Amino acid sequence: MNKTQGVLKLWETYLKFTSQPGVISFASARPSNQAYQISFQRIKKIIKRLIKIKKDSLFDYSPPEGIDSFRKAIANFHSWSKPAISYKNIIVTSGGQQAIDIACRTFLQPKDRIILQNANYIGIQQSIKNRKAKIINICASIEKTSFSSLEKMIKKNKPKLFYIIPDNANPTGETLSLQKRKEIAILAKKYNFLILEDQTYKNLTFKNNPQLISFKKFCPQNTIIVNTISKIIVPGLRIGWLATPSKFFENLLTQKKSSDIFTSTFSQEIISEFIKDQKSFQNHLENIQCHYENKLSILLNSLNKYMPKGFFWNKPRGGFLLWIKGPKNFNSKKFFIKALKNKVSFMPGFVFNYQNPQYDSFRLSVSNVKEGEIIEGIKRLVKSLII
Ligand SMILES: Cc1ncc(COP(=O)(O)O)c(C=O)c1O
């Protein structure tokens, strides 16, 4: 088993532990049952209607880049959720993970370098490993890394890609400031690397927090966008997409074709119906944003009330994830074992690291905890702390 397989296995093992009966789980980043049910009820109706109208064509082959009407619906979604994108530059993929994988296969050759924040979405690791490319790790958060340190790192390593989750990131819940986005865009143009902007959690930004501008606005020719419906509608239809400058379109499409020929026609038609009416989709997003905002607010209040001194966290602008950093010698691995005995769980920070394991940190997700269980969950966590 290589290091990446080991990391993925570790993550799966932890997730399995956390789904035992009676455990209040702050571990999973699956959309919440409530948000999931809202989507499911609409999808059921859409399927009934589609089967009547489109009949067996729903199960036919479709173009590798995606069905035009669906690509137009995505482009329309981007035009009001920003940034605007031409539908001709969109490639529909089987979830966000395939979008990331296709980008890695297109842009990374053996020994090429890709910059990543250390605490990161672990699904990208295997894609990088498969390309035999090298990860250049930002040990602290991207936000906290100064312009000059970033420039030094980029000058030295000459990366091909810089992977960034700028909004409500997994696992840290952080959002990259506008200033940092501008700085990275300047560097991307100066040193000619591509930014792989993962917008998986962007549309979960809460209503009263203005959405921050995409890299696409600052350096359109250096930005490849990855997006997915997994956290805002449902993960099981496996719909994601890439939005790329036209010059990369054909190369990305070649990789898509060799991977699975095309993305499920059935899923594309369903989601096309789901998102094509702006007003109802906007309503849907606001409902789930509100749902997560309520849950996060209960979480933050209970943390403020019950957590002892020495633990730090930021208030997320959206999404359902929160990252907590403990005191210097705090060990989230031991904490996890004790927490499980007390019937509460979370994700220890080091499972999100490729290098330099962060044993002093952990991730809480409110997506799959019932609102009424959050306070009890935090009390159990506090009881399990070893400091
Ligand atoms: C940041 C990030 N990007 C991409 C993905 C993959 O999404 P999908 O389920 O659409 O493949 C995830 C899934 O958790 C994620 O957290």
Side-chain angles (χ1 to χ4, degrees), residues 9-285:
K9 198 88 208 145
L10 190 69
W11 180 79
E12 281 166 15
T13 311
Y14 273 96
L15 204 58
K16 216 180 277 168
F17 273 131
T18 64
S19 27
Q20 290 167 13
V23 172
I24 298 179
S25 173
F26 292 100
S28 160
R30 170 188 172 270
S32 83
N33 277 337
Q34 203 174 325
Y36 191 87
Q37 279 306 321
I38 295 172
S39 303
F40 177 62
Q41 294 311 326
R42 261 197 80 196
I43 288 170
K44 264 200 320 200
K45 287 186 192 146
I46 291 173
I47 291 177
K48 262 191 182 167
R49 204 170 56 242
L50 279 177
I51 286 181
K52 263 194 200 153
I53 306 166
K54 304 239 166 180
K55 304 197 171 71
D56 58 350
S57 72
L58 284 175
F59 304 99
D60 210 341
Y61 281 96
S62 54
E65 66 275 23
I67 300 168
D68 269 1
S69 56
F70 181 44
R71 294 163 77 213
K72 284 177 185 164
I74 294 172
N76 181 44
F77 167 48
H78 273 280
S79 76
W80 55 266
S81 68
K82 306 255 172 17
I85 285 161
S86 157
Y87 84 94
K88 290 185 180 150
N89 293 339
I90 288 169
I91 297 175
V92 179
T93 58
S94 302
Q97 177 60 35
Q98 190 191 44
I100 290 170
D101 194 58
I102 287 173
C104 288
R105 286 201 277 139
T106 305
F107 299 113
L108 294 177
Q109 301 300 324
K111 298 201 176 116
D112 278 349
R113 280 143 198 243
I114 172 167
I115 299 188
L116 296 183
Q117 175 169 296
N118 190 21
N120 219 318
Y121 166 59
I122 56 172
I124 193 171
Q125 284 187 21
Q126 191 62 53
S127 300
I128 298 170
K129 192 92 192 161
N130 289 344
R131 300 305 300 153
K132 298 188 169 46
K134 185 164 186 242
I135 292 177
I136 305 299
N137 215 356
I138 295 186
C139 290
S141 73
I142 300 173
E143 185 67 41
K144 289 189 184 129
T145 310
S146 68
F147 181 83
S148 59
S149 307
L150 278 176
E151 181 161 33
K152 216 189 236 167
M153 180 183 251
I154 287 160
K155 248 181 167 168
K156 182 171 165 212
N157 290 292
K158 301 183 179 57
K160 283 273 176 63
L161 284 179
F162 193 156
Y163 171 71
I164 305 177
I165 312 163
D167 307 279
N168 319 310
N170 183 11
T172 61
E174 281 176 346
T175 291
L176 211 59
S177 66
L178 200 60
Q179 175 59 24
K180 197 50 81 182
R181 292 176 200 225
K182 284 182 187 163
E183 289 176 10
I184 294 172
I186 290 170
L187 293 170
K189 284 195 267 188
K190 187 167 172 191
Y191 295 101
N192 197 27
F193 60 84
L194 292 176
I195 296 166
L196 193 56
E197 175 175 339
D198 187 334
Q199 298 188 342
T200 295
Y201 296 86
K202 179 183 168 76
N203 295 99
L204 292 179
T205 303
F206 305 144
K207 204 177 169 193
N208 291 328
N209 298 329
Q211 287 234 359
L212 298 184
I213 299 167
S214 154
F215 286 101
K216 171 127 192 330
K217 176 91 193 322
F218 303 122
C219 51
Q221 291 307 314
N222 299 66
T223 306
I224 314 277
I225 289 173
V226 168
N227 210 333
T228 169
I229 61 149
S230 291
K231 312 293 176 184
I232 53 173
I233 307 181
V234 286
L237 289 173
R238 305 310 297 140
I239 291 287
W241 59 93
L242 284 159
T244 171
S246 14
K247 60 186 173 186
F248 302 125
F249 185 89
E250 280 308 322
N251 285 350
L252 286 162
L253 191 61
T254 303
Q255 293 300 336
K256 164 68 185 171
K257 284 183 204 166
S258 77
S259 169
D260 65 354
I261 312 179
F262 70 103
T263 296
S264 160
T265 311
F266 186 46
S267 295
Q268 289 187 64
E269 293 287 7
I270 295 168
I271 298 306
S272 191
E273 286 290 307
F274 201 111
I275 70 172
K276 77 178 183 197
D277 178 57
Q278 179 176 338
K279 200 150 174 249
S280 77
F281 190 34
Q282 225 157 2
N283 264 341
H284 167 83
L285 289 176

